[in-house]
Amino acid sequence: MGVEIELNLAGSDGLPRMLNGPVLEKIASPDFQTELGMFNLEVNIAPHQLDGRVFDRLAEEIGTGIGYADRKASELDAGVVMIGILPTLSQRDLVPENLSDNDRYTLLNDQILAARGEDFTLDIHGVERLLCTSESIVPEAACTSVQLHLQVTPARFAAVWNAAQAVSGVQIALGANAPFVFGRELWRESRPPLFQQATDTRPPELQSQGVRPRTWFGERWVDSVYDLFEENVRYFPALLPLCDEEDPLLVLDRGGVPRLQELVLHNGTVYRWNRPVYGWVDGVPHLRVENRVLPAGPTVTDVIANAAFYYGLVRSLADDPRPVWKRMAFQDAEANFDTACRHGIEAELRWPRSGRAGGIATLPAVRLVLDELLPLAAAGLDAWHIEPADRDFYLGVIEQRCLRRVNGASWQADTFHRAVESGLDREAALAATTRRYRTLMLTGEPVHTWPVGID
């Protein structure tokens, strides 16, 4: 398994800093890379065997890495903020001039714009409404996530991917952490609608004809990884016109393993929330399910708790002789994802009833997790041979989140409103919320323990 975390850079005033190039020079580590916006970084954690005390090891590695990056950023009056969307980002920050200095990002921006043929419209109805346009894909950079990778065998891929799709709504309900976009309070997890609209190659007439967006949940359970790569080719034209010199069939005829660089490049421009990944390391190929559902943050402890819950639950569901995707319509899983993005920890989700009677019930996400899914996650972690102390600690964080009905999004919204009630205007309240968030993030204490308010 492996983890990637996208990060934001903000100053002591809580406002974004367009400094990823200078900060990366200070960090001077291959574990840290640029992301789309100049206020973004990404940290990649080396793959780990999923067993034993892996979650404590991950927590130590991630905490050490982010702490080091934060100290280096502080030399430039910036700091690291691990959050779904930085509340203080404004539309004027997300302009082409703030695209990271990387040829691939420039080409991707140009190709998506050429395919669309007009500016992007961002229109999200939530607690408030955001309606604006953008002349580039840079608003996508506002969306910072955690990506959880799980290596699987080809025969195992479909079961794991289907299980990951089935629990995506639950993941969002528990982990929502992006309630603000451009200063507007929207959905509890506003990344998915913002990401979809900011990368949408379809002009309005193609949208009305039902052409699929490049950022999508999917439309069916699968029987094989081939189903997803076939959909990629059938539905999505290549965006990056880059060809590789490798002849895959010739490599196979000679007894080698093809790297399939064109497949990998094209797959990287189809933004599934659970993405198939073909990898090639030292001549050995492998498949991974890349879970892209979760926002970053709030703390390292919360990130690892989300990961433990996901890996344990997916293991149990993939092993189940009566798999959830045989008892639940794909459309219910998609609707759960949408509902959880809108309502976060307060979402009500559809899930198969236990027992022989069957059918689908609608119930609060927190009740579903407490009554049914946490025991399944614990059993899955046992199947991975995770140490009981790690299992109980990290799943205990998920349990407390449910009992207290608190996640990153609810804390941000409650703290923002408390700040407004104290007399601050909107921009000052968002900045104060961001500063307080960063202070508490650096303590490492999980978000369900955070006091609400800016003091």
Side-chain angles (χ1 to χ4, degrees), residues 372-385:
E372 186 170 347
L373 301 187
L374 269 176
L376 286 175
L381 294 179
D382 288 343
W384 289 120
H385 306 295

Side-chain angles (χ1 to χ4, degrees), residues 37 48-49 89 103 133 173 191 249 277 286 293 306 309 364 372 391:
H48 284 67
Q49 188 74 25
L89 276 172
D103 290 342
T133 60
R191 285 169 43 254
L249 295 179
V277 178
H286 68 267
V293 168
N306 290 338
F309 179 74
E372 186 170 347
R391 175 199 67 201

Side-chain angles (χ1 to χ4, degrees), residues 427-441:
E427 289 191 3
L430 290 166
T433 298
T434 303
R435 292 193 299 271
R436 182 61 172 159
Y437 179 102
R438 188 176 121 76
T439 297
L440 294 170
M441 179 201 84

Side-chain angles (χ1 to χ4, degrees), residues 183-232:
R184 293 284 181 267
E185 185 179 355
L186 302 176
W187 296 7
R188 282 303 183 248
E189 185 53 41
S190 303
R191 285 169 43 254
L194 177 60
F195 199 104
Q196 177 174 327
Q197 293 180 19
T199 58
D200 201 340
T201 57
R202 307 169 303 163
E205 57 270 22
L206 292 185
Q207 295 179 33
S208 65
Q209 292 171 21
V211 173
R212 294 160 181 82
R214 295 189 86 95
T215 300
W216 73 325
F217 188 81
E219 61 189 16
R220 57 175 174 147
W221 306 119
V222 302
D223 298 314
S224 163
V225 68
Y226 292 112
D227 294 345
L228 300 179
F229 287 128
E230 181 190 18
E231 285 180 353
N232 285 0

Side-chain angles (χ1 to χ4, degrees), residues 116 118-123 131-134 197-198 200 204 207:
R116 183 173 174 83
E118 59 186 70
D119 287 352
F120 299 92
T121 297
L122 307 178
D123 187 1
L131 178 60
C132 62
T133 60
S134 173
Q197 293 180 19
D200 201 340
Q207 295 179 33

Side-chain angles (χ1 to χ4, degrees), residues 96-228:
E97 293 76 21
N98 289 334
L99 197 68
S100 287
D101 185 16
N102 183 303
D103 290 342
R104 183 177 183 273
Y105 298 143
T106 303
L107 179 59
L108 185 64
N109 180 69
D110 293 345
Q111 292 296 110
I112 289 179
L113 278 172
R116 183 173 174 83
E118 59 186 70
D119 287 352
F120 299 92
T121 297
L122 307 178
D123 187 1
I124 306 173
H125 296 254
V127 177
E128 300 175 294
R129 183 184 182 187
L130 173 70
L131 178 60
C132 62
T133 60
S134 173
E135 60 181 350
S136 74
I137 66 169
V138 182
E140 176 198 333
C143 308
T144 41
S145 65
V146 170
Q147 289 127 42
L148 303 175
H149 292 258
L150 180 61
Q151 185 177 333
V152 296
T153 63
R156 181 78 162 166
F157 179 91
V160 172
W161 188 86
N162 288 340
Q165 288 285 92
V167 303
S168 292
V170 178
Q171 287 182 276
I172 287 286
L174 294 174
N177 196 27
F180 297 104
V181 180
F182 300 168
R184 293 284 181 267
E185 185 179 355
L186 302 176
W187 296 7
R188 282 303 183 248
E189 185 53 41
S190 303
R191 285 169 43 254
L194 177 60
F195 199 104
Q196 177 174 327
Q197 293 180 19
T199 58
D200 201 340
T201 57
R202 307 169 303 163
E205 57 270 22
L206 292 185
Q207 295 179 33
S208 65
Q209 292 171 21
V211 173
R212 294 160 181 82
R214 295 189 86 95
T215 300
W216 73 325
F217 188 81
E219 61 189 16
R220 57 175 174 147
W221 306 119
V222 302
D223 298 314
S224 163
V225 68
Y226 292 112
D227 294 345
L228 300 179

